[in-house]
Amino acid sequence: MDIRVVGESIFDIESDCILYFVDNAFTNKDTLELVEHCGNRILNTFSKISSIPTGDLKIVPAFDLKADYIILSVIPKSVENDEDRQFLKEIFYKIMENFEKYEFNTLAVDIKRLNDSYGKKHCDIFKECLRNLDMDIVIFLCKWSCLY
């Protein structure tokens, strides 16, 4: 696995897909940021999906982005105990299983937004999961977010 820490936004990286964490009903400010960059066509996708249960994911077209697809996922807002930690790890592994299933080769993740929106524990667990994977892929950990 080739992990690259980059200063670019996930919206400016050319990759097979980006990993984007949203709330269950697509109503938070992060979702608005996604719409701003993808264009209004993604709103039709959101209306068809309606909602995503916590722990689940959907792969959708990236529309106006440089990436081809977006992996939308809903993760818990907090990690309070070992059970929460294990649940979050299972979500991250499920994301990577789907990444492999669809034969993607590159993934961009806004690690700064993950930290700012969810916290250091989430970032640490995500990085731990990446270290435990044996996949021939490139992951861009983007440290820039237009929200900040």
Side-chain angles (χ1 to χ4, degrees):
M1 181 176 306
D2 181 0
I3 299 175
R4 302 176 189 183
V5 178
V6 297
E8 291 92 354
S9 162
I10 57 170
F11 303 118
D12 295 327
I13 296 278
E14 289 189 28
S15 65
D16 293 334
C17 60
I18 65 171
L19 175 57
Y20 205 84
F21 300 105
V22 295
D23 66 327
N24 299 81
F26 310 113
T27 58
N28 65 8
K29 66 181 179 182
D30 295 331
T31 303
L32 296 176
E33 178 188 26
L34 186 61
V35 171
E36 180 181 310
H37 289 278
C38 286
N40 288 335
R41 290 185 298 165
I42 199 163
L43 293 172
N44 189 38
T45 301
F46 289 163
S47 68
K48 288 178 182 175
I49 295 172
S50 180
S51 69
I52 301 174
T54 301
D56 208 352
L57 63 97
K58 298 287 182 190
I59 299 174
V60 301
F63 297 108
D64 295 344
L65 300 181
K66 291 184 179 179
D68 296 323
Y69 297 95
I70 303 167
I71 299 174
L72 298 170
S73 182
V74 178
I75 57 177
K77 275 300 221 182
S78 64
V79 178
E80 303 296 329
N81 53 45
D82 288 340
E83 186 177 301
D84 293 346
R85 181 179 175 79
Q86 185 59 37
F87 180 55
L88 186 58
K89 285 171 80 171
E90 288 170 7
I91 295 169
F92 289 148
Y93 285 129
K94 182 179 182 180
I95 290 166
M96 296 313 293
E97 285 171 10
N98 276 273
F99 185 85
E100 194 170 44
K101 174 183 173 184
Y102 289 98
E103 299 180 355
F104 295 137
N105 295 305
T106 54
L107 173 69
V109 181
D110 189 339
I111 199 73
K112 181 183 180 345
R113 192 173 69 76
L114 179 62
N115 182 71
D116 292 348
S117 295
Y118 295 91
K120 185 178 182 323
K121 286 181 187 177
H122 286 70
C123 284
D124 291 343
I125 293 168
F126 182 73
K127 291 175 191 174
E128 177 187 334
C129 291
L130 290 181
R131 285 191 298 270
N132 291 330
L133 294 173
D134 183 26
M135 299 170 70
D136 188 21
I137 60 172
V138 176
I139 302 214
F140 299 102
L141 296 180
C142 303
K143 296 183 85 172
W144 181 90
S145 177
C146 68
L147 288 177
Y148 306 96

